[in-house]
Every structure is written in C-alpha cells, then in structure tokens.
Amino acid sequence: MKKKIIIIISVLIILLIIGYGSIVYTDYHKVVNGELPVFANYSDNGSYQGLGYTVEVKYYQNTDIIEEMNMKFLGKTIAGIIQCIEEQNENQESVIIENENIQNENKLDEFMDKANNREASILQIHAISGEKTDNIKLEFVPGKIEEINTEETNTVNVQVPSSAATAEEYQEAYGYYKITVNDTETGRYDGLRWQMKRITKDNIVQVIMEPFLIEVTEFPVICEYSLESSSYEKKFELTYMGRKDMGVKKIAKKNQFDNLDFGVYTIAGDVSITIEGDMVYSLEDALSQGVITVQDILEQAKADKKYGFCEEAYYSDGGSIEYRYSTYTILKYNTLDANKDLVIGMPGTIINQVNVSGYRTE
C-alpha cells in the first residue's frame, strides 16, 4: 500500500515538474523571440511575475514597441533581447517613422486603400523625432450609405445630405476619417468631401487630408517622412517636346513591342526617355530595343500618382484615365467601345484634343 502511494506521489511530482518546466520554457521562448510572456502576470512595477521568474520589459518612449526585455529565474538572467526599433517593428501592425525614415509603409497603403473603398480600418503610426514621440491613430468609420449598399436588396431609399448639411450629417452618411494624436482627437473628415493622399516636395513625403469642393487655406498634414526611405523608385525620366502641328503620331501598333492589345501615340509633340541619368532614347527606340516597356510607363505613372508627382483623372467613357504631370500628360483609354490606346501629350487635359484630332484607334 505504501509503495503504491509513493508511486502515485512520485508520478504527481514528475507531472508537476514537467508542467512547471513547460510553463517556464514557453515564456523563455517568448522572450527570446521578443514577445511578451503568456504565463506571467503583469505587476504594478511594470514587469511580469511568474512562479520563480520575472520578465522585465522596456518600451520605446510613449509607444507599445518593445526596446529591451530580460527574463530572470531565481534572480539570475537566463534570457534577454535588445532590438533597434526597425527590427522590432517588422512584425508589428503599426507604422514607425523615426527621424523621417519610415518602416512598414505598406500598412499605410493598406489603410488608404480600405478607406478609399469605404471599408472600416484602423492604423497606428509612431512618429519619433529625437526624444519626442507622437502616437497617431488613424481610423476610417464607414457611413450609413455604404452599409445599406451591402444589403441583398437596394430598395431602401437613402437620404443624401444637401449642400447645406452639417459636417456631422456628411460623416453619418458617407463615413469619416478620425485622427487622434497622443490620445487627443485632432480632426474628423467625411469620406465624400475629403480624401487621404500623399504629396512629395523636396524629397519629403507628406500624408495629408485633401478636400473636394471645400475651400481651405491649408491641407491638414498627418505625418511626413523622407522619400528615400519609402518604397518609391524612379526607373526612368520621360520628356515631352512640343511640335508645331497638333496631330497625333503613331509610335507603336497593337502587339508590336509588348504584345499588348493597344497602340501607343503622341499628340503635338515627341517623347524621349532618359535612363540612369544620361542614356537618352526616343520613345520609339526605347520600346523597339526593349529598354522599357509600355507597361513600365504605366507602372511608373501609378507610382508617381501614389506619391503626388502627378494627378489622376478618370472619365465616364468606360474608365479612361489621365496622369497629369507638370510638363506632360499620359492618357490611357479604356472606353466602352474597346479603345485601350495610350497617348502622351502636352500638360493638362488632352482627351478632348485627341478625340477631335482625327485620331482613330486600330
């Protein structure tokens, strides 16, 4: 009988040792990987207290980003990490801007895309400059119109705010951006008359709120960072040189160079491409020699629009779009009658000049 009791007690002790070891090992593994412990309880002094061990955590000032963490077992340090904020931020859902250098810029892209589609979204930005840290929280809250449009039936009539409606009525109907800095709300902007966008000047990217149909003296700036630290890449420089005539000139037929189902044209001018600062080609030579592709031109225009180097304008002819630069415009047709051509012309709106020039798609 005594032998049986001893065996049972021994088994229980072994199980307790294994269980306790598993707990300690789990939190040890968490600390080694820069994560908070799961079995230790948070204490008033800012550390985490487990059974026989303590985890001390230090955060970057005014952020929830871990700078340093140490695990002590019976008073002896058995694990610890110290990481720079860029390394620590790789797996974070927040954006870090430290001394004008941005990390996790893709999170900002995701937030802006969701907001443009009127989807609920939240983003944390930690802007660090020297000893100062601003914690910026961005939110987009969808409005009633979008919520009703997601129903199976669209028979419900929605009351659209009039031009005399209050800001709150616009926000309720169309949703709104909410910006909070260091736990203080700094602004709300409805989703119809405002949009969040980037502008770039002197190699500094600013994220701003841009109004539509509203006169403001200056655009609210949310944050800013260096262009060099962003994902932007300038692969080539396009130059437009005007001609005396206003005619349309064909540069490439359908499927001639890129196997794309549209042609490439210029109106009232010629186009050259500069690669790597000093290698200059005519647009036709650059395409025929495979230096660049038509798709490269479109991808560069999209990137330039994203960072505010050009403006984007859509047309209700099926989805034609213009990328308007200060010295030229790229027109990409996408009409209901299947015109997909690309035309490069003078700065400003060119679609009307192209349409009345006698130009005809193949």
Side-chain angles (χ1 to χ4, degrees):
M1 184 68 179
K2 288 183 179 181
K3 185 177 180 180
K4 185 175 182 181
I5 293 174
I6 292 173
I7 293 174
I8 293 174
I9 293 174
S10 299
V11 170
L12 291 175
I13 292 173
I14 292 172
L15 291 175
L16 287 172
I17 293 173
I18 293 173
Y20 177 72
S22 298
I23 291 173
V24 175
Y25 176 77
T26 298
D27 280 350
Y28 172 87
H29 187 72
K30 287 285 187 180
V31 171
V32 169
N33 287 280
E35 302 175 11
L36 293 175
V38 294
F39 292 111
N41 296 318
Y42 182 75
S43 60
D44 293 336
N45 63 4
S47 63
Y48 291 81
Q49 188 64 53
L51 185 59
Y53 64 93
T54 302
V55 178
E56 298 173 347
V57 183
K58 179 182 177 183
Y59 295 91
Y60 280 94
Q61 185 179 9
N62 298 324
T63 76
D64 57 357
I65 307 299
I66 297 172
E67 178 181 3
E68 184 177 353
M69 188 158 45
N70 292 290
M71 182 176 182
K72 295 182 178 180
F73 183 76
L74 299 178
K76 183 179 180 180
T77 301
I78 61 173
I81 58 104
I82 299 176
Q83 291 184 241
C84 68
I85 199 164
E86 291 84 2
E87 294 173 332
Q88 185 66 10
N89 188 53
E90 287 181 356
N91 297 320
Q92 297 284 334
E93 293 300 314
S94 58
V95 171
I96 295 290
I97 302 174
E98 184 176 18
N99 298 324
E100 295 187 343
N101 294 318
I102 191 168
Q103 298 290 325
N104 288 350
E105 188 185 21
N106 62 302
K107 301 296 181 182
L108 179 60
D109 294 331
E110 292 171 6
F111 175 85
M112 295 172 71
D113 288 342
K114 285 185 177 181
N116 288 335
N117 292 325
R118 307 288 176 84
E119 300 177 25
S121 186
I122 298 177
L123 177 66
Q124 293 282 352
I125 300 175
H126 302 298
I128 304 169
S129 179
E131 297 297 321
K132 181 184 178 183
T133 298
D134 286 330
N135 297 306
I136 305 167
K137 182 179 181 181
L138 307 181
E139 297 178 74
F140 184 80
V141 180
K144 288 186 175 180
I145 288 180
E146 284 69 39
E147 291 174 2
I148 291 175
N149 285 342
T150 61
E151 299 289 341
E152 293 182 1
T153 175
N154 290 322
T155 59
V156 179
N157 292 322
V158 178
Q159 185 65 41
V160 178
S162 67
S163 58
T166 65
E168 289 75 16
E169 288 173 321
Y170 272 99
Q171 292 167 13
E172 183 179 6
Y174 296 103
Y176 60 89
Y177 296 87
K178 178 181 176 182
I179 302 173
T180 305
V181 180
N182 298 330
D183 298 324
T184 299
E185 184 176 325
T186 60
R188 291 193 184 194
Y189 307 90
D190 68 77
L192 176 67
R193 300 177 300 172
W194 293 84
Q195 72 167 349
M196 187 176 294
K197 64 176 292 186
R198 293 176 175 90
I199 58 174
T200 303
K201 184 178 181 181
D202 298 329
N203 290 320
I204 295 296
V205 181
Q206 290 185 327
V207 180
I208 67 168
M209 294 303 305
E210 181 184 60
F212 295 110
L213 308 176
I214 304 175
E215 293 186 5
V216 297
T217 55
E218 59 183 34
F219 298 156
V221 178
I222 299 169
C223 63
E224 60 182 31
Y225 53 93
S226 70
L227 181 66
E228 185 179 15
S229 68
S230 73
S231 60
Y232 177 77
E233 182 181 1
K234 188 72 171 178
K235 297 181 179 179
F236 55 85
E237 189 71 39
L238 190 152
T239 303
Y240 173 84
M241 298 159 288
R243 300 192 309 264
K244 291 183 178 180
D245 69 275
M246 295 297 292
V248 172
K249 176 183 176 182
K250 181 182 289 186
I251 301 297
K253 299 184 296 183
K254 289 183 179 181
N255 302 318
Q256 182 174 353
F257 299 132
D258 292 355
N259 294 322
L260 298 176
D261 61 343
F262 56 83
V264 180
Y265 301 79
T266 63
I267 179 171
D270 296 305
V271 178
S272 64
I273 300 289
T274 303
I275 308 258
E276 297 178 355
D278 57 359
M279 300 175 63
V280 182
Y281 303 81
S282 69
L283 177 58
E284 185 172 9
D285 287 344
L287 293 174
S288 64
Q289 296 175 29
V291 175
I292 65 167
T293 67
V294 177
Q295 195 61 41
D296 289 334
I297 296 174
L298 290 173
E299 291 299 325
Q300 186 67 63
K302 292 176 183 178
D304 289 344
K305 181 267 174 184
K306 175 179 173 180
Y307 286 90
F309 291 108
C310 66
E311 295 292 330
E312 191 178 59
Y314 286 93
Y315 292 94
S316 58
D317 59 356
S320 296
I321 183 173
E322 284 183 341
Y323 297 99
R324 298 172 182 167
Y325 293 80
S326 60
T327 57
Y328 62 91
T329 292
I330 298 174
L331 166 62
K332 180 64 174 67
Y333 277 107
N334 186 30
T335 64
L336 296 174
D337 59 0
N339 183 1
K340 307 291 184 182
D341 288 343
L342 183 144
V343 184
I344 301 175
M346 67 288 291
T349 303
I350 67 171
I351 191 168
N352 293 330
Q353 289 94 323
V354 176
N355 288 341
V356 301
S357 67
Y359 148 83
R360 293 288 183 274
T361 185
E362 292 181 54

